[in-house]
Amino acid sequence: MATTVGQRLAALRAEHDLTLATLSELTGISKSTLSRLETDQRKPTLELLLPLSRTYQVSLDDLVGAPEVGDPRVSMKPRQLAHGRVGIPLTRSLGPLQAWKMIISDPELHESRVHEGYEWFYVLSGRVRLRLGDKEVVLRAGEVAEFDCRQPHSFGSADGKPAEIISLFGKQGERIHTRAAPPNRS
């Protein structure tokens, strides 16, 4: 199809074997406006394009030559991780911020790790036991943990049953902020 909106409009009118006068009657747009649209002397507005789209029975995207949008789905393959965990990457590249869905079934809290970065995770289902330094907490579905990875940490299933989490990990300084319900302003 033609490259400019005007060229596409002219091509569609020719395809439908319509005169400017007939198209004007069908759309309610004056012949002079239609002519200026087809010669790119008038900006196509939504107000003008909608009746043309209906008359030609084409989408607005086709009428203006909008680029096709690629497939937005991210389909990543599950990976076997340490300690029997399964991780599914939720981001296409291993950039500064990574997102993973993890299934944790091992109840053992293995040796604590320390490394650069900041981690945030949300428990989707099950219960997760988290050790941060010398403190331990059990998180249930719907709860969130956020911590600096330079602090010794480890986590596992709290009861030996699989737990699912969404984990976001960012390099040092990139923190994820969760927002609770707005404060009561009474």
Side-chain angles (χ1 to χ4, degrees):
M1 208 166 222
T3 56
T4 69
V5 174
Q7 290 169 332
R8 276 188 287 285
L9 291 173
L12 281 167
R13 188 168 60 81
E15 223 175 88
H16 286 80
D17 198 27
L18 296 172
T19 64
L20 283 174
T22 305
L23 185 58
S24 176
E25 288 174 26
L26 292 171
T27 61
I29 301 170
S30 74
K31 289 189 305 182
S32 65
T33 299
L34 290 170
S35 175
R36 287 182 300 163
L37 280 171
E38 288 184 4
T39 56
D40 293 312
Q41 294 175 2
R42 166 110 190 222
K43 274 195 171 206
T45 63
L46 195 55
E47 182 180 81
L48 296 171
L49 292 175
L50 282 172
L52 290 165
S53 172
R54 280 192 295 270
T55 300
Y56 292 135
Q57 296 181 343
V58 298
S59 71
L60 283 173
D61 284 350
D62 289 339
L63 205 56
V64 298
E68 285 193 35
V69 177
D71 188 346
R73 295 174 292 184
V74 176
S75 60
M76 306 301 272
K77 298 198 182 321
R79 298 180 190 168
Q80 196 64 44
L81 305 175
H83 312 300
R85 296 177 183 166
V86 175
I88 304 163
L90 301 176
T91 48
R92 293 181 197 268
S93 64
L94 297 177
L97 187 62
Q98 299 172 23
W100 292 79
K101 177 178 180 185
M102 294 173 61
I103 302 167
I104 304 164
S105 52
D106 187 355
E108 293 295 315
L109 287 180
H110 297 276
E111 187 175 322
S112 290
R113 297 179 50 210
V114 175
H115 52 88
E116 287 295 313
Y118 213 86
E119 185 159 355
W120 173 98
F121 69 77
Y122 175 85
V123 181
L124 293 168
S125 66
R127 296 169 19 146
V128 176
R129 185 166 41 137
L130 171 65
R131 181 184 300 141
L132 284 174
D134 57 358
K135 296 180 183 171
E136 255 184 49
V137 294
V138 173
L139 294 110
R140 292 172 175 73
E143 292 186 306
V144 176
E146 180 180 25
F147 55 92
D148 186 328
C149 295
R150 292 176 299 182
Q151 184 175 11
H153 62 279
S154 64
F155 52 91
S157 168
D159 53 15
K161 297 176 184 171
E164 291 182 289
I165 66 170
I166 296 289
S167 171
L168 298 178
F169 173 78
K171 65 184 179 181
Q172 190 57 35
E174 289 187 4
R175 295 182 64 174
I176 291 84
H177 299 281
T178 55
R179 189 171 301 231
N184 188 356
R185 303 209 187 255
S186 12

